[in-house]
Structures are given as structure tokens and as C-alpha cells.
Amino acid sequence: MAAPSQTQKSTYDVIVIGAGIQGSFTAYHLAQRHKDTLLLEQFLLPHSRGSSHGQSRIIRSAYPQEYYSRMMPESFRLWQQLEAETGTTLYRQTGLVLLGPPGEPELEACRRSLGVDEILDAAALAQRFPGFRLQAGQVAVLDSTAGVLFADRALRAAQEVFRRHGGTLRDGEKVLRIEPGPTVTVTTTAGVYRAPRLIITAGAWTGAFVEQLGLRLPLQPLRIDVCYWREKQPGSAGLGSVSPCFLTLGLSQAPHGIYGLPSIEYPGLMKVCHHNGSPTDPEKRDQVSSSTPRPDIATLSSFISSYLPGLETQPAVMETCLYTNTPDEDFILDRHPKFSNIVIGAGFSGHGFKLAPVVGKLLCELSLGEEPSYNMTHFAITRFPGVLGAAL
């Protein structure tokens, strides 16, 4: 934040609301394009109130949707570029095991996106990764490029380079009002700012912001239980820091998918989570009593008992995170249908972190009126019926 004695600047080329990973990478790209950029964050940094905190996220090449798998080579390259710019390690290659029934459409699409033919059966998987136990008839596909992004470190790195290129980051400033027009006016708890371009990347708070602008987006914030599970015998489960990540596709007992990462945050504890959660108001996410039912824990316990028998079946540590889901779980990356100088990035649905370098580039391009680097059909606001009527 600016020192109290400094004169507070009020006009910029671009204002970005929300300094999570998507907003920070958007600001990063804008600053590298020599745009005088203000990045606003309502909470004091660092914080754990949104979707970008924590030490680890999965990065992978495998994607069922071709439009995401096409972006991943550039995403890997941009993460490496950020590592070089900051002299910081942001990625550990661990591999990723995709588990599911043979012939499952999404599993097959992932295999095709990787260009691999090898399918592992239960015996082959157990030989390579002793901690995993497939059920009869199930198979696994290995994404050897995959690994873990160090999330907190990555967020700080993107913000560091943004500031190094002249960007202004103001945290602890909640946005109170947005006034659209050829020059957009943004009023916060600490000041009034103006710019000809605005980008909203406010995570679970995005819906409330765009409602001010006459737009109703189908964004559903979810409260996710982030669980860590202890090895029964230290080192015996084969699931330590050098084990692969995993992701389930098409398993009947986990219709929303389950994913896991090796021991990073807590020594001897593996991170295993259900890709689903409970609808929540982001302002009230922490107002949950100990008696609140948590069906996802039962789903995870049953899965661990069957597939990861070296782990205890009750979580040793539980934390929370926010997803902001769209109905189709694809992102929203688009200009406001009425105010073309306002760009919205939202609905990352629990799988956007790995793609943040490319998302930031696309939001930067949209804001500057350039042709986006990728086909944006799947990210358009107009794919949702009724949204335009509310906005116009």
C-alpha cells in the first residue's frame, strides 16, 4: 500500500479488481505491455479468504477439453518464464495418474490430449506407484508432464514482477461502487480511481460486482473442504513428497471427481479433496458450525479406504477454499455486453490456477481491444440464456 504521506494517484490506464492469481497475472501482462495499471485487493495480503491461497495446485497437460489442452503448452512456458524472472522455483514435476473405468470418455479424451497409448491396469499401477490400488477392471493413464505448482509462492511472484514493471498494488481496499462510462470510476474504502478500462477478476465476489452493472451471471460460490490425510505408517504408503498427483474421472462413487497431491503442506499428510462443495456466500464462508453435515468427508473416506489403503480414513487436517462455478464449469472471459471497456474473468470452477498465465494474457488482450490468442467461444457470456436481457 502507498504510505499515508504520499499523494494518492487517481487515474490509470487500466484498473484490475481482485488480486488473486487471475487478476495478478492479468495485471502482470498489462504492466509488461507498459500500461499504467492499478491492481485492487479488498483484503490485506497475504490472505486465505479466496481461491488462490495455499501451498499447492495441480498443473497438467491432460485435459478432456481440447480448448484447454491447447493452452497448456503456453501455460507451462509462462510459468517457467515467471520462475526465471523471479529466480524462484514454482513447479515440481511429479506426474499425474488419471484413474477411471476403461473407455470412459473423459479419460480417453485426456489420453488423446497427451498423445500416449499406454494404459496401466491395476497390477502395472501398483508396481509403478505402490500407494495406489485400482479396483477390478479399472485403468490409469499417466501424464508425466504434470506436477505441483507452489501456489502462494506463485501468487507473490506474479505480483512482484507486476510491481517491478511499474504496477500499483493496493490491498486492504474494498470496492464500494463501479460507475461505467467511457472512463470507468471505481470507488473504494480508501479512494476514487478512474481509468478507460476495467477488468473484474474478483472470484466469488464477481457476481455482486457485475449485478451493479446490470448483468446476472450464473456464478455459484462453493465452500470446499480441503483435507489432508495421514499415512498409517510413516513412509509406508508410498505417498510421500515424491509420489504423483492423481485425478479420478467417471468413478460412480465420486461423480464430481476426487484429486490428490503428494505431501507438501504438511509432512506425512497427503492432500485429497472432492471436486465439489456446498453453496456459500463468500462473506459468510467461515460461519460453519462443527455440527454442519459434511457429506464430502464420507465420500473421501470411502475412496481412501478403497484406493489409498496406506492412509488413515479420517482427515488429520481440514481447511477450506472457495470455488466459483459456472453451470458448465468453463470459464467466463469476455467483455461486458453493454460496456465493452469492462472485461470480466470469472467462474474458474476449481481448475483455473494452472491456466492463470494464459487467462491473464487473454484478459489483457480483450481489455486492449486486440484479437485474443485463442478461440473464445467456450468462454463467452452469451452462452448463458437471459444474461443479455438483464444487461441491456
Side-chain angles (χ1 to χ4, degrees):
M1 294 177 65
S5 61
Q6 291 180 325
T7 301
Q8 185 169 307
K9 181 177 173 181
S10 62
T11 59
Y12 294 85
D13 294 332
V14 193
I15 298 171
V16 180
I17 299 175
I21 195 64
Q22 311 297 348
S24 294
F25 256 115
T26 301
Y28 162 100
H29 284 287
L30 287 163
Q32 290 198 325
R33 301 282 293 275
H34 307 293
K35 300 302 176 186
D36 187 11
T37 304
L38 171 64
L39 178 58
L40 291 170
E41 171 54 49
Q42 66 174 319
F43 300 114
L44 292 171
L45 294 170
H47 70 85
S48 59
R49 299 296 305 279
S51 304
S52 297
H53 65 282
Q55 293 186 45
S56 61
R57 296 291 189 281
I58 293 173
I59 184 169
R60 54 190 164 105
S61 297
Y63 246 111
Q65 300 90 348
E66 189 178 6
Y67 44 94
Y68 290 122
S69 64
R70 283 179 184 161
M71 295 177 180
M72 285 312 305
E74 183 176 17
S75 193
F76 272 101
R77 181 180 64 76
L78 289 171
W79 281 116
Q80 291 165 356
Q81 178 179 305
L82 183 61
E83 284 187 316
E85 287 171 322
T86 58
T88 306
T89 300
L90 303 176
Y91 161 70
R92 178 191 295 167
Q93 187 172 357
T94 65
L96 169 78
V97 178
L98 298 144
L99 311 173
E104 201 281 328
E106 288 197 333
L107 188 63
E108 280 298 301
C110 284
R111 186 182 62 79
R112 287 193 299 271
S113 75
L114 292 169
V116 300
D117 295 323
E118 184 180 17
I119 300 286
L120 305 176
D121 60 15
L125 181 68
Q127 183 174 8
R128 189 172 298 189
F129 305 113
F132 292 89
R133 179 189 293 163
L134 278 176
Q135 304 306 293
Q138 294 175 350
V139 296
V141 172
L142 178 62
D143 177 354
S144 60
T145 69
V148 176
L149 289 169
F150 301 126
D152 284 342
R153 199 184 298 175
L155 182 62
R156 288 194 303 271
Q159 293 168 354
E160 176 191 327
V161 175
F162 165 65
R163 288 171 130 158
R164 195 187 297 166
H165 283 82
T168 301
L169 172 57
R170 297 188 66 89
D171 62 347
E173 288 200 33
K174 185 173 184 176
V175 172
L176 302 176
R177 188 167 63 255
I178 300 168
E179 298 168 55
T183 297
V184 182
T185 301
V186 177
T187 302
T188 75
T189 49
V192 178
Y193 308 99
R194 294 176 178 85
R197 305 175 185 89
L198 173 69
I199 302 172
I200 301 173
T201 53
W205 288 265
T206 299
F209 283 129
V210 300
E211 279 194 20
Q212 295 181 34
L213 304 169
L215 192 59
R216 288 191 176 274
L217 296 179
L219 297 171
Q220 177 60 69
L222 297 177
R223 182 183 183 277
I224 305 297
D225 289 320
V226 180
C227 301
Y228 300 84
W229 310 75
R230 193 182 309 280
E231 292 178 294
K232 291 176 179 176
Q233 297 293 328
S236 66
L239 297 169
S241 60
V242 295
S243 69
C245 302
F246 76 86
L247 177 66
T248 73
L249 296 168
L251 293 184
S252 58
Q253 68 186 104
H256 296 283
I258 290 173
Y259 63 92
L261 296 88
S263 175
I264 292 175
E265 280 91 338
Y266 303 103
L269 303 186
M270 186 175 187
K271 182 177 179 179
V272 182
C273 307
H274 195 201
H275 190 70
N276 192 39
S278 306
T280 191
D281 177 341
E283 296 289 350
K284 302 175 181 177
R285 59 169 278 189
D286 297 323
Q287 298 176 17
V288 179
S289 72
S290 58
S291 61
T292 301
R294 287 184 149 151
D296 292 336
I297 304 302
T299 299
L300 289 168
S301 294
S302 174
F303 174 84
I304 284 170
S305 178
S306 298
Y307 289 82
L308 299 166
L311 298 180
E312 300 283 356
T313 56
Q314 291 300 314
V317 176
M318 288 178 54
E319 300 171 343
T320 60
C321 189
L322 287 177
Y323 285 5
T324 306
N325 279 32
T326 61
D328 57 14
E329 297 192 1
D330 283 330
F331 311 156
I332 293 172
L333 308 173
D334 204 353
R335 299 181 182 94
H336 189 292
K338 186 175 180 181
F339 309 113
S340 61
N341 61 339
I342 298 178
V343 171
I344 300 159
F348 296 101
S349 302
H351 68 105
F353 199 104
K354 69 183 77 63
L355 282 156
V358 174
V359 165
K361 178 183 174 183
L362 290 168
L363 292 173
C364 171
E365 291 168 343
L366 285 169
S367 182
L368 299 179
E370 299 173 355
E371 183 69 25
S373 300
Y374 296 87
N375 185 329
M376 303 296 280
T377 303
H378 294 280
F379 313 122
I381 287 173
T382 52
R383 74 187 193 268
F384 300 117
V387 172
L388 274 173
L392 297 176

